[in-house]
Amino acid sequence: MTTSSAIACSRMYNLSPRISTLWDQLFHWLADRSGVELEVIAHAAPAPLSELWARPDMGAVFMCGFPFSQLSPAERPQPLAAPVSLADWANGQPVYTSHIVAARDKQLTEADLATARWGWTVRDSQSGYNAPREFFAMLANRPSAAQTVGSLLNPRGVVDAIRSDTIDVGAIDAYAFQLMAMHEPDMIAPLRIVATTKPAPFPLLVAARQQSADIVDALRAALLGAHQDTEGSDILASLGLSAFAKPDVAAYDQLPIRARAIDAALGAW
């Protein structure tokens, strides 16, 4: 079975050319094992992710859990699989967190965090917007409003803003941080982790709702079995993953509830 109408994209985690090459290897393996012809595209920043997620030819594309949760069941793309990180914070589950990071030479107490300049990425991001807001809302003796700078677009923007002293702290997707630690340690060398946020369901690989059932089934089966394939397992390890798991859609449905609670406590940043 082949198709020429399915794209694959790891834009959310294309943190460097070296890391992008590893994702390309995964997608080439996926195409081979599933029998689905995948065109790997970059959809590089600053092209809006919303445009990528609206494409009717999505075959295997990373999508943030929060915008996925905002769509009605009839509008959502078809979930394929969610990654399981080898990092301790994943605890063997398809979840992730955000690391609150600061300059390595800047010592910050919890009281300092309450009055620090916070950076955020984009407002439809779980890891770069809702997660740090949720963390800030739980700080003791915090002011009613935070000093914020945004939008910084992605983890690279947060790193650059800290290095230029535009912000004091920001949130970086813990899996993105893991990938940078593995493959681009110089990128995070100026940073230290100050805290880690509550877990949330991992961004998931999705196919367009218009894709046929046989294509979706083939892609999903290959991803869920990747850890049992010698080559697939090696590629997963190079990406800091142990496996892909079936996404728990009900877990994603909790994200808007959490966001509304944050809105009630803080309002928008």
Side-chain angles (χ1 to χ4, degrees):
M1 176 184 63
T2 61
T3 178
S4 58
S5 61
I7 62 164
C9 184
S10 54
R11 153 70 185 275
M12 286 187 63
Y13 292 114
N14 283 353
L15 300 159
S16 74
R18 181 182 308 175
I19 294 170
S20 296
T21 296
L22 296 175
W23 286 116
D24 291 352
Q25 291 176 5
L26 174 69
F27 290 138
H28 293 317
W29 172 90
L30 177 59
D32 179 68
R33 293 299 189 273
S34 66
V36 176
E37 184 179 337
L38 292 172
E39 178 191 357
V40 181
I41 67 169
H43 195 80
L49 279 166
S50 57
E51 292 181 359
L52 173 65
W53 297 331
R55 287 184 59 152
D57 57 351
M58 286 194 300
V61 172
F62 265 114
M63 185 174 189
C64 179
F66 184 67
F68 176 84
S69 73
Q70 295 287 89
L71 298 172
S72 71
E75 296 173 316
R76 287 176 179 173
Q78 301 182 71
L80 298 177
V84 180
S85 172
L86 289 165
D88 291 342
W89 43 257
N91 197 29
Q93 300 297 314
V95 299
Y96 76 141
T97 65
S98 292
H99 291 319
I100 307 300
V101 296
R104 184 169 294 279
D105 59 357
K106 185 170 290 188
Q107 300 300 314
L108 297 173
T109 65
E110 182 171 308
D112 293 327
L113 290 176
T115 57
R117 297 168 298 166
W118 285 75
W120 54 271
T121 55
V122 291
R123 287 194 171 93
D124 62 352
S125 170
Q126 174 62 31
S127 62
Y129 184 69
N130 283 331
R133 289 197 308 147
E134 187 173 50
F135 179 88
F136 183 82
M138 294 187 296
L139 289 176
N141 301 316
R142 62 170 174 81
S144 58
Q147 302 179 65
T148 65
V149 176
S151 64
L152 300 175
L153 192 60
N154 55 32
R156 289 291 298 269
V158 173
V159 173
D160 290 345
I162 289 174
R163 296 183 70 168
S164 66
D165 197 34
T166 303
I167 61 173
D168 300 310
V169 290
I172 292 180
D173 175 324
Y175 178 58
F177 194 95
Q178 178 190 357
L179 284 173
M180 289 187 283
M182 291 176 65
H183 300 294
E184 302 290 356
D186 289 347
M187 289 172 61
I188 59 169
L191 306 180
R192 68 183 184 90
I193 298 172
V194 177
T196 299
T197 66
K198 291 172 59 176
F202 212 121
L204 64 169
L205 283 169
V206 299
R209 62 182 183 275
Q210 297 93 331
Q211 285 289 2
S212 65
D214 58 345
I215 288 175
V216 171
D217 289 346
L219 291 169
R220 183 181 290 132
L223 287 166
L224 295 180
H227 63 290
Q228 297 172 323
D229 177 279
T230 300
E231 184 181 356
S233 179
D234 288 344
I235 295 172
L236 289 175
S238 75
L239 290 164
L241 302 176
S242 64
F244 283 99
K246 181 180 178 181
D248 178 3
V249 174
Y252 295 92
D253 289 338
Q254 294 300 308
L255 294 178
I257 298 172
R258 288 168 62 171
R260 287 194 292 271
I262 302 165
D263 290 340
L266 291 180
W269 276 8

